[in-house]
Structure formats: C-alpha cells, structure tokens
Amino acid sequence: MPIERWSTAQVLALAPDTSSARAAQGVSAATKWEVTGRDDDVLWGLCRGSGKHPYQACVDLTEPAYRCSCPSRKFPCKHALGLMLLWSAGGAPDAAAPDWVAEWRASRAARAARTPATAPAPRGSADPEAARKRAEQRADRITAGLDELDRWLTDQVAHGLAGSERSGYGPYEAMAARLVDAQAPGAANAVRRLGRIAGVGQHWADRLLGELALLRLLVASHARLDELPAPLAATVRSRVGIPVPTDEVLAGPRVRDRWHVLGQVDLADERLATRRTWLHGEESGRFALLLAFTPIGQAFPADVVPGTILDADLCWHPGNLPMRALVAERHATLQPEGPPAGAVGVAAALAGWSAAVAAEPWCENVPMLLGGVTLTDDGHLVDAAGDALPLSAGYDQPWWLLAGSGGRPVTLAGEYGPGGFRPLAAWPDGRYVPAPIGPTGDRRGPQLPPDLLSAALVGTERRPYEGGAVGGVLLGGRGPSGLLEGAAVALAYARAGVTPVPGRLPIEPAPDEIAPQVPAAAGRRLALLLSDGGVPGGTEVALGLLGDWLGHAADLGYRVPPELLPPLLDAGRRRTALRPALGAVAGRRGGWLAARRADWRYLLTEATADPDPQDWATGTPGQRLAYLAAVRATDPAAGLALLSETFDIEDPDDRARLLGALATGLSLADEPLLERALDDRRKEVRAVAADLLSMLPGSALSQRMAERALACVRIERRALGRDRLVVTPPGECDAAMRRDGVQPKPPRGIGPQAWLLEEILARTPLDTWTTAFARTADQVLALPVADHWGPTLHKGLARAAVVQRDPAWVTVLADEMSRPVNKDQDPYDEALTAQLYEALPPEALARYAAQALGRDPIRAHRLLAMQTGPWPDDLAVAVLDAIKVLAAGERHAWHIGELCRTAAPSMPVSFAGRAAALAEALHAADPPTRQAIAVAQLAAALTFRREMYEELR
C-alpha cells in the first residue's frame, strides 16, 4: 500500500521533547547514513554513530512503530526521527529490507496475531450485574466526595479567604487527593488549580473566590443531576471526571468535513502532558477539540498536523457545549491553498463566547477564527468595524504576527478566555504561520462585586452574608453557600457580558516590498539555522553558516521570509557581524519592525538592498545611506550633489555615515566637500573626511601629509656601509595637523613623538617613499633605521598599507610584522598585524595560514578565522592534510576540533567528499576518537552548505 510522504512538521511532532527534535535534525542528512531504504511501509537505515558499528534503525509507518539499536531511552530516538526526516525530504529510496528488519516485522506480526486470542476480556464485560454494582459504588463514592467538597468550600468562605495566602498549597492538595480517592478526577484537578491561585498575583482573592464559586456550582449541579437536561447533565459528569466510553462516543452521529487544523496547545503537570488540537470545519463551520494525553517525556501521536486539512468523520462527546471530538474515520490529509473559510469579526466572536459561557459556566476558553483583524499598539486586535479585543498576557507583543502580516489585516485563529485572546496561527498572504510558544500570564482585573469579595476575605463567621441582587437578579441565599451562589452568578454575568473594546486604531502598515523572497526551500533552511539545533557541528557552526546564508542571499538580491525577521533581528542584536548582510535581506519590513522596538533599531543604520528615490527624503538612516550609495555607484557626481545640498543640516551621526558613502566612486571632485568636513564640529565626521582624503591620490591632504612625512624621514646615503633612514619626529601637534586628522593624544605605552610620527606616516601615500627614495617597497623596508625608530616607522607604514590596500606594501609589511613571536607582541602590535592579514590578498593570507598550521596552531586559527569568503583550494588541502597528520598522534584533539569548526563555513563545498573519506578512515578506531567525530561533522557541514547554496539559486 503506497504511503504519502510526511511533512517535516508531522515527523517532528513525534519527538518526545525539543532536544530530541534538534538532535534528529542533526542526523537527518544523507551523509549520516551508510544506507537507507523503504520496503513497503517500513523505513530502515544504518546510521553512523559513536561506535564501530552503525546503529540499526527502522520505522513502521502505519502506526508508527520504531526500533533502534542505540542505547537511548527516548522513544522514538533521534535516529528513528532522523530517518523519517530524511524520508520526508525525498530520501530513503525503495529497497528490499535486510534480515534484521524482516525479523522485527515478523516478531511484531506474531505479537499482533497472539493478541486477540490471549488478551483478557474487558473488565466487567462478562458480568453486567457486577458492572452495574461497580457503577453504583463509584456513583456513591463520587457523591460522598462531592459532599465533602461542598463542606470544604463553605468552610473556606466561612473562615475567610485571607488566611489562604498563608496556608500554602497543602490544604488544596489534601482535598484534591480525597477527590481522587472518590474517583472524581475532574473536580480534583479544579481544586489543585485553586492552590496555584491563592496568594499569587494582584487580584488573587477575586480569582480564587470565582473558582470556588464555580466549584460550588458544579457540586450543586451534580446533586440535581437527574433533574438537568441530558446535554447539561453530560457536561456536569464530564467536569466531575466521569468518562464517556469511546465506543459510546463513536456510536453517535458523525460529521464528515474537511477540517482545517488551526493549531495546538501543549500543557503539562507532574505526570501527564496534554495536547489540545483545534479544528474548524470547512462546510459545517463547526469547531472541534481533539485531546491527546501522554506521560511526560513521551511523544504525542503525529496523526494531526497544524496547517493541514484533515478529511475525516468526527464524533462529539455529549455536552451542553459540544467541543471535544474523536476521529471516527480518516479519509485523507490535504494541504490547504489558503486560510480557512468562516472567519468572523470581533463582535460575532465575542457573542459566541457569551453563548458558550451561558451554555457552560465552567467554560475556560473557546476557539475563535477571526477575519480581517489588525494589531494595535496597545496589545489588541481590531477588525474592519473598529471592534477590538485584548490579547492575553504573554501574547500582547506578537512580533511574529507583526512581522508576518506587516500590520495588514489577516485571518487569525486562537483561544479566547477571561484573560484575553491567545493566538495559535495566522494566514498572512494565505500562508500558514504558527504562533510561537509564549509565557503564560493573567492580567484580568476584578470581576466580582466588592461586597461579596470583602465578605469572603473576612469570612461569613465575622461578617454574615444576607444575600442581595447580582446583575439585577435578587438572590435569596444566605451564609457561605449563598455567598458562593452569588459569586457564581456574578462571575457568569461578568464573563458572558464582555463586549468589544471601542476606540482602538490599527497600526500603520509596513511599506510594500520590492526585492523577491527567497525560495521556499531556502526559507526552511534559514528557519533550521535559527532553531538552535539540527546543524552539523552545533551552535558555533550554525552561527557561521547563518552569516554565510545571509551573505549569499544578499548577493542574490533576496529578502527573507517576513515571519523569520524577529529571530533574525535578535541574532543581529547579539552579533554585530551579521548586521550588514541582515540589513540587505531584511527588506522594508525589517526596517519597519526595527523602528518599533528599541533593541532592533540598530538595523535602521544599516544600508538596505532596495533603495528608492523617496528614501532620501523620508527613509530611515540606513535607507538614505543605501540610496546615496546606489547613486554614487552609477553617477558619482549626482551623489555628491545630493549630499552637498543637505550636508550642513544633516544630523551629526548621519553626516558621518553619509560622508562615508563617498568611498564609492571617490575622486578629486569630492575633495572640496571633504575638505569642508575637516572643519566639522563632530569628531566622527572629521575622522571620516580625513580617512577618505588619505585614500584619495593627489588630494591636498595627501600632499600635506607627504611633506610632513618627508620632513620627518629622510634617507642618508653613506659612502661606507649601507644607506639608512634617519628619523626626526615632529615636536608637537599643531592646529593644521589636528585639522588633517592627526590625533595628538597617544595611547598608553606610546611616547608623544613616536605617536605623532606614526599618525603622519599612517596618512601618507605609500608611493611617497618609492618615489622619493627611488626604491621598491621591499627595498625601502630593508633599509636600516637609525636610533631605534624602526618599529615606529614600520607601524606607521603598516597602518597606511591597511587603509590604502597596496598589495606590495601589505605583503612585505605582513612579513615584517610577523617576525616577532606572537607571545612577545603587545596587544597593539597584534591588532595591527591582524589588520594587515585582513588586507592581504586571499592567496597570500592562505599561504600564511598554511605555513602556520604545523608549527603554530594558535596563530593558524587566527589566520584561518580572518580568511573571509571561500578558502582557496590550496588552503583547504593544507587544512585536511594537517588534520590527517595531527590525527595520527594521541594529542591535538582540541586543535582538530577548532580546525573543523573554522573550516565548516569557509572550506569549499567541493571538499565534502574528501572530508567524508578522511572521517571514514578515522572511524576505523573502536570507539571512534573525538578527532573522527569532528571530521565527520565537518563533512556533514560541507554537505549542508552545498545544499544551502543550491536552494538559494
């Protein structure tokens, strides 16, 4: 029987916890498996692990059922999940299963064949009279337990709720335990919840009295069970905890529909995890709630996946507000083509809530499918009619929804209760976007009359309750029972009487996007990189690959899926190196989001990828910078004119950034504006102008610096001995020097004259020396320097080479600065040497790194980390050769691990095969060494990158 491939979401829904899901994604690549296949309805594979022999994993897709030879106690383990993920992505071709899979299938078939004959008959099915007596005995126990609960409830109010703040959780747990013994688990759970309310939060007494009143209403309803209508009686039984047999539910009426799976909510207590899955019928318009339970640490079944359509027959549990349903027959699972139909406005949705509370006062939440709602600035959802409802605490700043919708109306599914609306999913542009898990919270205000609350706090023994009117209804009850009845009525009135919030205005929508969005597969890959798991090599490698992904997407002119902007902006907040590429791929919605949150506003200063002429007048600083850079790239004169017109009225910070855009197409035509900027009051503006003028051949500043430099450094031609350089440092920093960017105050540890000399040399054109001394760069540096001024001279020339990027000077100065052993260099020299390395041509830097691999591991790591972009093939070969040599010894495991982590985002992906072969050779040891595992992760990371690049094309 052919089985339709599952989606990634269906597979991950089987994971027993989030760590298992992350680990499974890490073993889902084909390179992790020696061989995989699918034989009819069984997946099988051999996964490389930490032992000599691979793990044998197989999955029966019909149940599903799992088997793996790994020692994990989780069920399913990461290998079974990874195998299913590989299959869902198109892997695991049809292939006959090996003997060990056939044996497993045979043993399962044998157990299934024995079950009907050996399984005991259902308890009580053979003796109806005994079953009747047991039912009567349970009814008597429940009645006795609820009678005791009734006395306990009235005692709480009689003695006063003020003492509950000090009594702690104990009294509630004790009462709940007695209800469990009385076989009333529903009532027991309600009492346990009371213990989590008492003394917690600002309005705890109001909420505690309300829940006590609802419990008292449940007890009173159960006492009159025979008098209630059948649907309401069924609701009372369910709330007490009397289950309805599954066969009885499935024997009821069926409704077949195409059920949109709106979303899921997972809850957990000490022993049991509960999953609520909400469905909405396409034709019937009905809501349905599927409940699933599993022990803590076990996986929920993955038969219903949010965002899909379930074509099935459903049967509902009886009740006055029938919501809970069972799947009687499943026909198909479909992919939707847009949002579900039947969404309503806020007023209609709140009317449905009121009807639900009227039908079932114990109702805690109901599903809502809102159409055309927009976020407001104060945590509300407002529809086209201007009706609004509040978001619940913990969900009132839904950045995921703001990013996905761009502030435009969307269809939104969620749960509504007294605490507000909890989003489950949205459909911006017709795409299903699930809501992330948010923190729980409750910011409800008081809902009960003050006189009832004050009497309950003090206690009716001290302040007798004589009854009164609630909601226009005169209640005759007295004492603690009467107070609880009055509180129940008041709470029902308050909850059912909620109306739309008026006067809320939607936020201004985000501007329209210009750049195309990345392909869907690339978007899924980005989500994986942001998920803190599932990437070979772990989090450190994932961060490097994230920067690589962003850089490639920026080069191709793409923008990211909008719903991924919040985690991306958080990543950029923590890692400044990501920001330039992030600014290019965030699109206009990224800037719009960043303007709304303080810790994301850094993005506003990054250049965007889609400049627009309107940006110059109204855009963010980053958009204005991007537009100016774009104009400079095509018409430098027009860009200069644009900046010159507004330069004097720009914000000082913006002046510095915008002035830096003149580096694109820099020419002598820019010199007048740059010379004017040397007199700016802002230090940052003057520094940018001085740097640009230093880079501009033939500028007046360069000539002035050359004159100063030649006055300080001259060649002494000697008849005997070698010619040498004689240094006469400047005596002071005059006003003209300060105007040209010379900083008068030296860093700690450098003398004033040495610093001034270095500053002048750093701003002097390098061809000054080759022209004045009639020597090449290496010949100039080979000249001895009198009076120990050599180090200062070389530092100044090195700084000039870093700015001017002259390959001849950079290469020879890198050799000069590298001569001292690293540990003997001070931090200033090390930083300058690193800048020289970064300025080297890629092939020269690769040569330095390859030379350092064998003799100086620390320096090699530094050099490799500086190698931006893909490594040259020669460097990749050198690194793999070094790993092979190091792995032959017992030591250097840390060195190999660092090399592999550094190589993962930079080594050419064409070397994935060589890395995999090296890993295979190292895996010959039993057990595999840490070196072998690190190399295997490198091979997997290279394969990951290759797939990443293919998806971005």
Side-chain angles (χ1 to χ4, degrees):
M1 174 181 178
I3 295 180
E4 182 181 355
R5 287 190 190 270
W6 297 356
S7 67
T8 300
Q10 284 177 285
V11 176
L12 293 180
L14 292 169
D17 48 44
T18 55
S19 63
S20 296
R22 289 196 298 267
Q25 291 170 322
V27 296
S28 62
T31 54
K32 290 289 185 179
W33 298 82
E34 291 186 359
V35 62
T36 60
R38 183 172 75 90
D39 188 349
D40 192 16
D41 52 7
V42 172
L43 294 175
W44 59 273
L46 298 176
C47 183
R48 299 185 182 93
S50 58
K52 181 177 181 180
H53 302 290
Y55 295 125
Q56 299 174 343
C58 51
V59 179
D60 186 337
L61 297 169
T62 57
E63 295 193 26
Y66 324 94
R67 175 192 178 277
C68 185
S69 60
C70 75
S72 174
R73 296 182 179 180
K74 294 185 178 181
F75 189 77
C77 69
K78 68 177 182 179
H79 304 105
L81 289 168
L83 179 60
M84 288 187 283
L85 286 173
L86 177 63
W87 169 65
S88 70
D94 292 340
D99 293 342
W100 57 271
V101 178
E103 293 173 2
W104 178 64
R105 296 175 75 174
S107 65
R108 294 188 68 248
R111 285 195 301 270
R114 290 194 303 268
T115 299
T118 60
R123 184 178 177 182
S125 60
D127 189 348
E129 180 61 24
R132 183 186 62 79
K133 289 183 179 179
R134 284 193 295 269
E136 290 179 353
Q137 291 172 355
R138 178 175 184 178
D140 291 341
R141 283 195 293 268
I142 290 174
T143 299
L146 293 182
D147 287 343
E148 184 178 359
L149 175 61
D150 191 22
R151 293 189 294 272
W152 183 83
L153 290 170
T154 55
D155 286 346
Q156 305 305 305
V157 177
H159 299 321
L161 300 182
S164 301
E165 192 172 11
R166 299 186 300 273
S167 59
Y169 190 73
Y172 304 96
E173 184 58 37
M175 186 67 240
R178 290 196 289 273
L179 289 170
V180 170
D181 293 339
Q183 294 184 286
N189 289 334
V191 172
R192 286 194 182 97
R193 287 197 299 271
L194 296 177
R196 293 192 286 268
I197 295 175
V200 179
Q202 184 177 4
H203 303 291
W204 67 268
D206 183 273
R207 288 185 287 122
L208 179 60
L209 177 58
E211 295 299 325
L212 290 169
L214 290 179
L215 259 178
R216 177 64 173 74
L217 179 62
L218 181 65
V219 172
S221 300
H222 186 269
R224 301 173 57 187
L225 204 59
D226 295 338
E227 306 172 25
L228 299 179
L232 183 57
T235 295
V236 173
R237 292 192 188 94
S238 174
R239 289 287 175 177
V240 169
I242 303 173
V244 180
T246 299
D247 293 343
E248 185 177 324
V249 175
L250 294 177
R254 297 187 176 190
V255 176
R256 179 175 180 178
D257 206 339
R258 289 160 49 94
W259 301 96
H260 284 259
V261 186
L262 303 180
Q264 293 174 333
V265 178
D266 291 345
L267 305 170
D269 55 22
E270 290 80 3
R271 299 189 184 96
L272 198 65
T274 305
R275 170 169 287 175
R276 296 200 302 261
T277 302
W278 288 106
L279 312 179
H280 183 264
E282 194 172 84
E283 296 181 3
S284 65
R286 292 188 66 172
F287 287 102
L289 172 64
L290 303 182
L291 287 179
F293 305 94
T294 186
I296 297 296
Q298 294 291 328
F300 287 103
D303 50 351
V304 181
V305 179
T308 62
I309 295 177
L310 179 66
D311 183 359
D313 296 342
L314 299 188
C315 296
W316 275 261
H317 281 249
N320 214 34
L321 182 66
M323 284 287 183
R324 185 181 177 187
L326 296 178
V327 178
E329 185 176 358
R330 181 191 302 267
H331 302 288
T333 299
L334 310 171
Q335 294 298 321
E337 297 180 355
V344 300
V346 169
L350 289 178
W353 160 254
S354 298
V357 174
E360 186 180 336
W362 307 280
C363 178
E364 298 171 355
N365 49 65
V366 298
M368 285 185 177
L369 187 60
L370 302 175
V373 292
T374 310
L375 286 165
T376 69
D377 281 319
D378 59 350
H380 284 70
L381 298 169
V382 60
D383 61 15
D387 296 326
L389 56 75
L391 290 162
S392 64
Y395 295 85
D396 53 351
Q397 292 186 330
W399 295 106
W400 68 276
L401 180 57
L402 200 62
S405 68
R408 293 175 175 79
V410 293
T411 297
L412 186 63
E415 293 180 336
Y416 181 82
F421 185 86
R422 175 181 180 169
L424 294 178
W427 286 263
D429 303 320
R431 296 174 296 107
Y432 178 80
V433 178
I437 299 173
T440 58
D442 195 334
R443 56 180 182 183
R444 285 176 283 177
Q447 295 183 292
L448 299 175
D451 58 332
L452 285 178
L453 183 59
S454 60
L457 279 169
V458 175
T460 56
E461 291 178 346
R462 299 180 182 178
R463 184 181 297 177
Y465 179 73
E466 302 297 335
V470 176
V473 177
L474 183 62
L475 301 178
R478 298 173 181 272
S481 297
L483 191 150
L484 288 171
E485 291 171 2
V489 173
L491 186 61
Y493 266 88
R495 289 185 175 179
V498 65
T499 58
V501 179
R504 294 301 194 275
L505 297 176
I507 61 175
E508 289 293 327
D512 293 332
E513 297 287 5
I514 299 175
Q517 188 170 307
V518 296
R524 290 191 293 270
R525 180 79 58 171
L526 176 59
L528 181 61
L529 287 168
L530 292 168
S531 66
D532 192 27
V535 177
T539 302
E540 185 176 346
V541 173
L543 290 173
L545 295 182
L546 175 60
D548 194 18
W549 190 100
L550 293 174
H552 274 73
D555 292 340
L556 294 169
Y558 282 124
R559 62 178 173 86
V560 299
E563 60 270 17
L564 296 180
L565 282 170
L568 270 175
L569 290 171
D570 281 336
R573 176 174 56 84
R574 295 187 297 267
R575 297 189 70 220
T576 57
L578 297 176
R579 295 180 181 181
L582 180 54
V585 301
R588 295 184 170 273
R589 191 167 300 183
W592 176 79
L593 269 180
R596 308 185 66 84
R597 182 164 160 176
D599 55 356
W600 291 347
R601 286 183 185 148
Y602 69 83
L603 190 72
L604 301 180
T605 63
E606 298 294 337
T608 58
D610 50 357
D612 187 290
Q614 293 295 327
D615 291 342
W616 185 249
T618 61
T620 66
Q623 290 172 334
R624 299 184 72 230
L625 175 60
Y627 178 70
L628 179 60
V631 173
R632 286 284 296 184
T634 56
D635 189 349
L640 176 63
L642 201 64
L643 180 59
S644 299
E645 184 178 354
T646 63
F647 185 75
D648 292 333
I649 60 174
E650 296 285 353
D651 179 87
D653 290 332
D654 290 344
R655 281 205 302 274
R657 280 190 291 267
L658 294 173
L659 195 65
L662 297 185
T664 302
L666 184 65
S667 70
L668 289 175
D670 304 314
E671 187 176 18
L673 179 60
L674 294 172
E675 282 284 345
R676 177 152 55 102
L678 289 176
D679 297 318
D680 197 278
R681 288 178 297 177
R682 193 63 175 258
K683 177 182 177 181
E684 292 79 6
V685 178
R686 298 196 303 270
V688 171
D691 288 342
L692 289 175
L693 287 170
S694 298
M695 297 167 53
L696 181 60
S699 68
L701 183 140
S702 297
Q703 295 173 10
R704 294 193 295 268
M705 285 298 180
E707 292 173 0
R708 295 184 181 111
L710 290 174
C712 295
V713 181
R714 63 183 178 82
I715 188 168
E716 182 181 75
R717 304 185 188 277
R718 306 169 69 186
L720 296 176
R722 297 173 57 192
D723 294 347
R724 65 176 184 174
L725 297 177
V726 177
V727 175
T728 305
E732 61 177 355
C733 183
D734 56 30
M737 293 169 62
R738 285 195 293 269
R739 181 180 182 274
D740 285 345
V742 175
Q743 300 298 316
K745 186 176 181 181
R748 179 177 297 180
I750 300 180
Q753 288 186 312
W755 175 248
L756 291 180
L757 175 63
E758 185 180 326
E759 281 280 280
I760 291 172
L761 296 175
R763 289 166 172 76
T764 300
L766 290 168
D767 60 6
T768 301
W769 311 109
T770 54
T771 301
F773 299 158
R775 282 173 167 83
T776 61
D778 54 343
Q779 290 173 340
V780 171
L781 287 174
L783 290 171
V785 183
D787 300 327
H788 306 291
W789 284 103
T792 302
L793 180 67
H794 293 155
K795 289 178 186 178
L797 294 175
R799 289 176 56 188
V802 167
V803 173
Q804 297 172 37
R805 301 276 170 166
D806 187 309
W809 284 93
V810 169
T811 302
V812 70
L813 281 163
D815 286 335
E816 179 65 30
M817 295 293 291
S818 301
R819 284 177 184 170
V821 179
N822 281 341
K823 65 182 180 181
D824 293 335
Q825 286 187 313
D826 60 35
Y828 180 84
D829 289 343
E830 286 194 17
L832 184 54
T833 305
Q835 292 173 3
L836 278 172
Y837 288 147
E838 291 174 350
L840 282 169
E843 63 277 3
L845 180 57
R847 174 173 55 84
Y848 276 100
Q851 291 172 352
L853 281 170
R855 64 175 186 270
D856 194 346
I858 295 177
R859 183 176 173 219
H861 290 310
R862 291 176 181 171
L863 292 172
L864 290 172
M866 295 174 191
Q867 185 84 36
T868 58
W871 287 355
D873 287 356
D874 291 345
L875 179 57
V877 170
V879 169
L880 290 178
D881 288 344
I883 291 174
K884 186 175 181 180
V885 171
L886 291 169
E890 297 274 332
R891 305 168 58 193
H892 302 299
W894 69 271
H895 188 186
I896 292 177
E898 286 296 319
L899 282 176
C900 290
R901 281 187 287 272
T902 304
S906 302
M907 183 176 285
V909 296
S910 58
F911 282 76
R914 297 190 195 182
L918 177 57
E920 186 67 26
L922 296 177
H923 265 281
D926 187 15
T929 60
R930 286 185 296 167
Q931 295 97 316
I933 295 173
V935 177
Q937 290 178 337
L938 170 60
L942 295 177
T943 302
F944 186 97
R945 280 177 51 218
R946 182 177 60 204
E947 297 168 350
M948 184 175 80
Y949 298 154
E950 292 172 353
E951 292 163 352
L952 280 168
R953 290 175 184 167

